[in-house]
Amino acid sequence: MVPTVEWKNGAVRLLDQSRLPGAVEFLDCRDYRMVANAIRHLKVRGAPAIGVTAAMGVALGAQAVTATSYDEFARAVAGICDELAATRPTAVNLFWAIERMKRKLAELRTKPVSEIKRVLTEESQRILDEDIAMNKAMGKHGAALVQNGQTILTHCNAGALATAGYGTALGVIRAAWEEGKKISVLADETRPVLQGARLTVWELMQDKIPVTLITDSMAGALMKQGRIHLCIVGADRIAANGDVANKIGTYSVAVLARAHNIPFYVAAPHSTIDLATPSGDKIPIEHRNPNEVTTLHSGPAIAPAGVEVLNPAFDVTPAALITAIITERGVFKPSELSSQFSA
Ligand code: MRU
């Protein structure tokens, strides 16, 4: 797999996911505003990938600040952090990563600005490296829940593309596959932006993991026919009570899974767990451009001009519908998260 995000010759290089699967193109961001735009316009997307990219955006922006006193430098970096934080509201990894960069900046207040710039860049790389390590650990824990011969339904893209590498939900699937289990994946296309059709399918086909594409409306019938054994999805934010915000349509999958007695798992690292948000109804839900609904991947209109459109990008699955949450520290019931992950 090509890297989703990396430092390359002093720039933040992103695989432009808005062009997939038609073209594999890279975007070299040479200033932090380009990074912010790439996040806003889904050139990079997926909660952990957004966090890693924002951390790199902070470091990139910091490098260009000309101030030599700490206070002036820190004020400029705080402004950069604010702009990056305003790109998307739901995935908590964005705020988690920016806060981590701010903490690092504060720790370095007695150091020369040139050194702070270097350490901030190193910190962003550490966030990237840790993300991959967490995904691999999550994969190991989660793979134990997957049996030989099973078919797994996933929604949206929670793969290498949505993270610094390996993936969360797809990381579990990858790990089970690497253990030699003969599994197959059903990928929901995931309207409106088609992350399932465009990204999950592309990514799994690269790794030769058997995958079949379905439209979102097919999942219930396939569950009824006994053709889905478990569901694994990622998360954009997990509240303290275990409620999970993820791509719109996830809630429908969870309801269907419960109705058919099929386990429903969420895979996410600790950077997605937001203990400051008590429950799912407090999670801010992003509403995106109606064009995403009235076209298919920016193609010709599929609805009459001027139609009223709703386009919430995420929904909340209540903890009660979640069998377990797979993390880098192990597999927990939603109700166990707050004690397992409190500081
Ligand atoms: O709008 P997106 O594509 O950023 O939404 C992504 C998702 O909902 C993913 O399932 C989630 O971020 C988990 S990614 C490991």
Side-chain angles (χ1 to χ4, degrees):
M1 277 283 303
V2 285
T4 307
V5 47
E6 63 178 336
W7 282 109
K8 192 89 181 176
N9 304 328
V12 177
R13 172 168 281 194
L14 301 172
L15 171 60
D16 184 348
Q17 299 189 34
S18 67
R19 308 276 294 131
L20 286 171
V24 176
E25 283 175 11
F26 296 90
L27 197 67
D28 283 330
C29 302
R30 300 206 171 271
D31 72 75
Y32 79 90
R33 289 208 164 97
M34 256 182 102
V35 173
N37 267 326
I39 296 173
R40 194 173 283 116
H41 298 296
L42 308 188
K43 293 179 184 303
V44 58
R45 33 63 52 201
I50 293 171
V52 170
T53 304
M56 290 179 161
V58 173
L60 188 67
Q63 279 169 28
V65 174
T66 51
T68 49
S69 81
Y70 175 83
D71 285 347
E72 227 185 298
F73 177 75
R75 249 195 315 279
V77 176
I80 292 166
C81 289
D82 289 348
E83 277 187 55
L84 285 160
T87 50
R88 296 192 74 189
T90 304
V92 76
N93 309 59
L94 174 72
F95 310 101
W96 174 89
I98 291 172
E99 282 309 311
R100 182 159 154 182
M101 295 297 281
K102 282 186 179 168
R103 277 202 305 279
K104 186 51 76 181
L105 173 68
E107 270 171 34
L108 298 166
R109 58 169 52 252
T110 58
K111 306 286 184 202
V113 164
S114 57
E115 184 178 338
I116 303 179
K117 288 179 179 177
R118 179 178 55 74
V119 177
L120 286 178
T121 304
E122 287 167 5
E123 184 70 0
S124 68
Q125 181 64 43
R126 201 168 300 124
I127 291 174
L128 183 151
D129 294 339
E130 287 173 14
D131 187 62
I132 298 175
M134 289 192 291
N135 292 339
K136 296 231 163 119
M138 208 181 298
K140 280 214 168 64
H141 295 302
L145 303 166
V146 180
Q147 315 292 313
N148 196 34
Q150 287 189 319
T151 296
I152 303 153
L153 177 75
T154 191
H155 190 74
C156 193
N157 172 268
L161 291 168
T163 61
Y166 205 70
T168 58
L170 294 194
V172 171
I173 288 167
R174 257 192 190 99
W177 179 255
E178 284 164 7
E179 285 176 8
K181 291 175 182 161
K182 300 269 172 285
I183 52 173
S184 60
V185 178
L186 283 172
D188 275 347
E189 64 171 349
T190 316
R191 273 285 281 153
V193 180
L194 301 170
Q195 289 93 335
R198 296 189 302 107
L199 307 177
T200 295
V201 167
W202 182 79
E203 180 176 332
L204 292 175
M205 285 177 79
Q206 296 255 313
D207 277 5
K208 306 204 169 9
I209 299 175
V211 58
T212 302
L213 174 65
I214 60 171
T215 69
D216 301 333
S217 52
M218 295 174 188
L222 292 169
M223 286 186 188
K224 188 152 175 279
Q225 292 163 18
R227 292 168 68 176
I228 296 173
H229 303 106
L230 67 159
C231 306
I232 313 179
V233 300
D236 285 86
R237 193 187 290 231
I238 306 180
N241 71 343
D243 291 349
V244 168
N246 191 48
K247 180 54 55 198
I248 191 76
T250 302
Y251 171 59
S252 314
V253 174
V255 170
L256 284 168
R258 175 56 55 92
H260 294 90
N261 216 7
I262 294 168
F264 180 89
Y265 296 108
V266 173
H270 75 270
S271 50
T272 306
I273 299 169
D274 178 17
L275 297 183
T277 297
S279 56
D281 55 345
K282 300 282 186 296
I283 297 175
I285 300 292
E286 177 181 15
H287 286 255
R288 294 188 60 85
N289 195 314
N291 288 346
E292 292 179 353
V293 176
T294 56
T295 66
L296 276 174
H297 201 37
S298 309
I302 56 167
V307 64
E308 283 295 324
V309 169
L310 284 175
N311 189 15
F314 301 95
D315 59 26
V316 173
T317 299
L321 294 178
I322 298 166
T323 311
I325 299 182
I326 304 160
T327 75
E328 76 277 14
R329 297 190 198 164
V331 179
F332 302 107
K333 291 199 178 71
S335 59
E336 292 172 325
L337 273 197
S338 58
S339 59
Q340 288 294 334
F341 287 87
S342 58

